[in-house]
Amino acid sequence: MSGLAATTLGAFLVVADAAWGLFDGTPERDVVAIVLFAAALGCLVATLCPVVDRSAAPPPGVPLGDWRRSERIERQFTARPPKIEPEDRDEVVAAAGRLIGTSVAVVSRSVWLPAAWLLAWAAIVVSGLPSDGQLTLLVLPALLGLLQAATCLGAVTALARADAARHRALALPPAPPRPARSAPPRDGRVGSQLALPDE
């Protein structure tokens, strides 16, 4: 879909430049500017395309029922994680798998938007469109591209932390199974187990 959009825009710009002279540079520079504009549109359209099959998304985590333990597991994905408790090993591995899948999807989508802005900026520079009085046209796309890159960098950082937490958890030996809770002994009597004074 993004390739179709880029090809369509490129063909339109070639026709428009031939008919109305959109660009004032040499033919070689005009071709490079048209290719860069078309690639920028292709990257913009790529941000709208789904990158993950929703049916293949990892299942949500099971609530642990202990907010202290949940908070302890979440801290494993911070900049300075504490030591992993042996009983949290499996939950950290599962949470890391979910976070890795989400981060890969975010990186796959968000990397195209800063690329679109930077390609548009390069196209504007090559085409010679901005003049001395249009410095905003020259600076704004590059600035927006750098700002949009922050989302992608955040997703890459989350991906790296999740992968590191997963490797730390897998290095631990599996936690021993929890002992099964034994039921209280039953002696077959029904009713209260308290004895009355005259019994």
Side-chain angles (χ1 to χ4, degrees):
M1 185 177 199
S2 58
L4 177 63
T7 304
T8 304
L9 179 65
F12 170 77
L13 289 177
V14 167
V15 172
D17 186 46
W20 300 295
L22 292 178
F23 306 110
D24 297 332
T26 63
E28 293 81 12
R29 287 181 62 183
D30 292 350
V31 168
V32 171
I34 288 171
V35 168
L36 290 172
F37 274 124
L41 180 66
C43 290
L44 182 62
V45 172
T47 63
L48 306 175
C49 299
V51 294
V52 174
D53 182 10
R54 294 191 178 189
S55 64
V62 178
L64 300 176
D66 182 356
W67 66 270
R68 287 186 185 92
R69 188 173 182 208
S70 299
E71 187 178 80
R72 193 170 65 217
I73 291 170
E74 287 177 9
R75 282 201 309 264
Q76 296 302 320
F77 306 103
T78 59
R80 294 182 182 87
K83 182 180 177 182
I84 299 175
E85 299 292 333
E87 62 186 23
D88 296 339
R89 176 190 184 272
D90 295 337
E91 284 79 9
V92 170
V93 171
R98 290 190 298 273
L99 188 56
I100 287 171
T102 304
S103 299
V104 166
V106 172
V107 170
S108 299
R109 176 170 285 184
S110 62
V111 73
W112 294 109
L113 197 53
W117 282 113
L118 294 176
L119 284 170
W121 173 77
I124 290 171
V125 170
V126 170
S127 67
L129 288 177
S131 61
D132 294 338
Q134 296 173 319
L135 291 178
T136 303
L137 188 62
L138 183 61
V139 174
L140 190 60
L143 182 62
L144 289 174
L146 292 176
L147 290 175
Q148 293 292 335
T151 303
C152 185
L153 291 176
V156 169
T157 302
L159 177 61
R161 288 178 180 170
D163 189 52
R166 181 175 174 273
H167 283 293
R168 285 196 323 272
L170 289 175
L172 295 174
R178 292 187 177 190
R181 296 181 66 178
S182 59
R186 297 180 61 109
D187 58 0
R189 291 191 295 175
V190 179
S192 175
Q193 301 297 317
L194 296 176
L196 296 174
D198 57 349
E199 292 181 347

